[in-house]
Amino acid sequence: MTSRTEEGEEEKLLVGVLALQGAFEEHQTCLEAVGCNTKQVRTPTDLEGLDGLVLPGGESTAMGLIGTGGGNGKQNMWSALQEFSARKPTWGTCAGMILLAERCVGASAVIEDGQALVGGMDMLVCRNYFGSQVSSFEMPTKFFDDPNPFPGVFIRAPAILSVNQADQATAKDGSSGIQVLAKVVATPCRQAAVVLHELEQKLAKGEQVVVMGVVDALDRTEDETSHQQHIDFKQVTTNNSNTSTKPSLVLPGAANGTNAREVICAVKRNNLLCTAFHPELTDDYRWHQYFVDMVQDHAKKEQKEQK
Amino acid sequence: MTGTNGNGSNGNGNGGTSVGTSRVKQGLAQMLKGGVIMDVMSVEQAKIAEAAGAVAVMALERIPADIRRDGGVARMSDPALIMEIKNAVTIPVMAKARIGHFVEAQILEACEIDYIDESEVLTMADDIHHIDKTKFNAPFVCGCRNIGEALRRIAEGASMLRTKGEAGTGNIVEAVRHARTVQAEIRRLASLPKDELFVAAKELRCPYELVKEVADKGKLPVVNFAAGGVATPADAALMMQLGLDGVFVGSGIFKSANPEARARAIVQAVTHYNDPKVLMDVSTGLGPAMVGISDIKGDPVNFRDREGGMQQYDGRVPPKKELHGNTEVQMYGSSWAN
């Protein structure tokens, strides 16, 4: 909150918002409220000159399909996004968080290899963890050590089931490794519960099922217990090459003997920030300010390196 | 099909959790912005729509073009179809309830539908009252022709709006009229002095508080999509350039020669609506669009003027066409007749 005003007004940061689909205008409003210039990003050339990027909420499947060309792909947005998020501050909210995940489970009956992901954050995300729209909710969430909680708006939201434990262990000063910033206790929806159960069974057998899983939703029947064996849980290797180090996967445990589990809803790793909820739908700009500070620090660091 | 995750079950152990708030209900519509919502009648079509990049599907037994052609009472879809489609796709699933039919809406909410369209395309169940949408956790989308109708629906609890257009015609003229009308009226309200807003609210037949909010902000308080007559990528981009937030495509896709290609093209057109080169690319070689209806004025079916409590027979009967009995236009009048 400090550095930007000290720097003076002449050099405003330019933060892009991926505008393939979703709530990109809301992010622009928030970012402008904390003193940034913003730009809508639809093509790889739009990424030039940006100090940071926000992947907004929306439908991750649709974004993936539009971004990867949707069949008539002349301009592959995806590789450009991967290249950008590898070196510059990038923040994913909700659907954007799914895009930044290395691994994603949840029903995706359409795309053979599941959701198209940009990747970068070594975590396992469960799409639509909380269920359909009637179960979307608002809940106060933790914002660092601030006694004032942040109004979390969860809309058909994903949840982070686990982050790379080995990576997390190295996170001490915040310079590297995954930091877990906030958690919520919540019951998974029926579909998510099935996926979790399946994952647990695989883990019990000692399998490393941390690659992208595809569950054909049509294989599901009414009874949750009777059809677990029918689930076609394909194992597909991620498109990223750094899967040689197999991370250990620990699923969140059941809390208080209920079906509820404690899942992660905000993480940070180096230049990447992910939130499962929607700060852009509130008039509380603390998360936007936090991200802009990340962008500011990164821009400063880059300037020093150039000198 | 009741999941383990009923209303309010989230956030166990944490205080302050609330479902069905207007922020959550309007928020989903905000997430759909810049996207295409497609009418589908089967699991196969739903999968085609999802694979094409639709942000949501509308599960219907008959698409509007068929309702126009075949007539008869059009009702809510069978929940079996809705559940089948809901299980087949990961994107949100919407369904239509008849205007005023709050029990159909209750059933759809029990199906855990993601959005309910209180739709003029279905036969009206109540010609005076719309559904009290504030009572539901499921959000509602409603059609509007003008700002008064838009704000009446918001007052009743709608979380999302769309133009009415004239569904099933493949003719964009009504959607354009409704979009431009709403925007012109917003500009007018924004330019009025504060002391004239009270009468403006009276004339628009909607709550003053909403009129004032629109006048202050210069925009609608909820997301507004285009609907009713979108048949080509160019139609979709036209509506986006006119300032709408996204597009519903009903009959335009599955009444065309090549639904897959057309669906993908419309999705790309909505994202890149300001880029004529992309629009040229995606418009190329799609095959024939739906045939459609060019003479909306003369067509016996009029979806757009169906609104609870707004229909008046003013005695002006236009010349009769080859029909059995009066048309709805003849009975109720039309937005064209004024």
Side-chain angles (χ1 to χ4, degrees), chain A residues 133-134, chain B residues 24-26 28-29 109 113-117 133 136-141 157-160:
Chain A
Q133 172 63 14
V134 287
Chain B
V24 160
K25 293 201 281 188
Q26 292 170 9
L28 178 58
E109 187 177 53
I113 202 84
D114 293 303
Y115 242 96
I116 299 171
D117 184 1
K133 295 167 272 286
F136 291 80
N137 278 337
F140 281 77
V141 53
S159 307
M160 178 181 182

Side-chain angles (χ1 to χ4, degrees), chain B residues 87-99:
Chain B
N87 273 335
V89 296
T90 63
I91 54 179
V93 179
M94 304 184 167
K96 287 186 197 287
R98 283 180 266 176
I99 288 175

Side-chain angles (χ1 to χ4, degrees), chain B residues 9-30:
Chain B
S9 68
N10 280 321
N12 306 15
N14 273 349
T17 305
S18 40
V19 294
T21 63
S22 56
R23 184 147 70 183
V24 160
K25 293 201 281 188
Q26 292 170 9
L28 178 58
Q30 286 171 284

